[in-house]
Amino acid sequence: MYITRAQESLVLRYSSIFKVVAVTGPRQVGKTTMLRHLIEVQDKGGHSRNYVSLDNTAQRQLAKSDPELFLQRFRPPVLIDEIQYAPELLPYIKLAVDESDETGLFWITGSQPFHLMRHVSETLAGRVGIVEMLGLSNAERAGAESEPFLPSPSYFERRVQATHELGSAEVFSRICAGSFPGIATLPEDVRPAAYDALVDTYLMRDIRDLSQVADEMKFGRFLVAVASLTARPVVYAELARMADVDQKTAKAWLSLLVSSYLVKVVQPYANSILKRLVKQPVMHFTDLGLAAHLAGWSTPRALEMGASSGHFFESYVFGEIYKSFVNAGRRPPIWFFRSNDRREIDFLLEMDGVLYPVEVKQGANPVEHDARHFKALGPLEAENLPLELASLRREVGVGTIVCLNPQTYPINRSVWTFPAWAI
């Protein structure tokens, strides 16, 4: 059964503005399924669009050897799938769109965003609208409208009413099921084989296309290490030790995972008013079903009761907040805060000069003490800042404790609790 994706409206809107729409993201998140669904919808309205996949060896060879003939055979409007396999097409696409006043001529997809976006930005600047697509969000699963996570009483109350309540066991079942549409709907006992196949395909194809990995066994151990350490600071020495590689290789491989959308790295918030801040970034695996499988968590119950449950829950919340922004076509303004005296805030969102602190608690009964580190942001609101620091002043907005309580309510004048499943 097809699940309506939040990016559908974004693709159609961009298609009415730009001549090219590029949908990027990891494999198996539903890019092609969504776009082919939109083709069917447009076809019923009398607007046909061709489709071609460069996963097909013959079509790929034609695109690389004779791009002009390829575009004559697959005339726009057209969807070209996995275009990173034939970047030779991009200059010819540029020529085609420059000769036409029509919008939405080309839809292209790619699962290797580093290489794809480098070529796209160089060749199609000003002509392309870019849509980032990750796995299923809570809102998409619930059939609810997606909207960016913007902490406010009205947002909290609206989202709780729009989505379906989930208990702790259901949340961890969802975490272990992951967000890849084709895997999440499989029976629990079949998913391990599906994830193994996905990893094998990823190692054998995409990683080799992106970079030379001399030792696939060590890279597999590195992948397991990153999955096991989701929601933790990036420590290259630890990753290198776990994978039995040097730190330079660990750094290059983590960059590879980020480039492939399997990992997101959250940078620390920096502001000269706040002294002695930790500078290490934090990494989050984007599909926690795959992360749980790699880390050896065989059931949702085992993960929920295990030592890593808090970290997986934090990455789950991060993923939902992140997707709430990219699904709306916005860059996620997510940071984290940690000082040398161990005051820590899981996420900081900065929008329009306002900081919104977010703390993640796996329990269902948060208390005011859980938000105690929000006070560390107080100096940013000071009225008597020196003139040279005045531009760094920030207002601190509504704070949020994201948890498993089924209700949303204020625990003091500036902090609300909010259920993770309602994001």
Side-chain angles (χ1 to χ4, degrees), residues 60-81:
R60 185 191 315 173
Q61 289 176 347
L62 176 61
K64 293 177 73 67
S65 63
D66 196 337
E68 189 172 8
L69 178 59
F70 178 90
L71 291 182
Q72 288 177 8
R73 182 173 298 180
F74 301 101
R75 292 185 179 278
V78 61
L79 163 58
I80 304 175
D81 214 0

Side-chain angles (χ1 to χ4, degrees), residues 212-259:
Q212 293 297 318
V213 174
D215 193 326
E216 290 184 4
M217 188 173 294
K218 287 186 177 181
F219 184 81
R221 290 202 295 268
F222 180 81
L223 198 58
V224 169
V226 174
S228 302
L229 296 174
T230 189
R232 290 175 173 86
V234 176
V235 182
Y236 291 114
E238 183 176 13
L239 292 172
R241 177 186 59 79
M242 294 175 72
D244 190 24
V245 296
D246 57 48
Q247 292 189 41
K248 181 179 179 181
T249 300
K251 188 172 184 178
W253 283 357
L254 184 62
S255 177
L256 203 59
L257 296 182
V258 172
S259 295

Side-chain angles (χ1 to χ4, degrees), residues 20-21 97 100 127 130 196 202 208-209 218 286 289 298 304 350 398 401 411:
V20 182
V21 178
V97 300
S100 174
R127 303 165 179 84
I130 299 169
D196 284 338
Y202 173 71
R208 283 182 175 176
D209 288 340
K218 287 186 177 181
T286 57
S298 59
E304 183 182 1
E350 184 174 26
V398 175
I401 300 178
I411 61 174

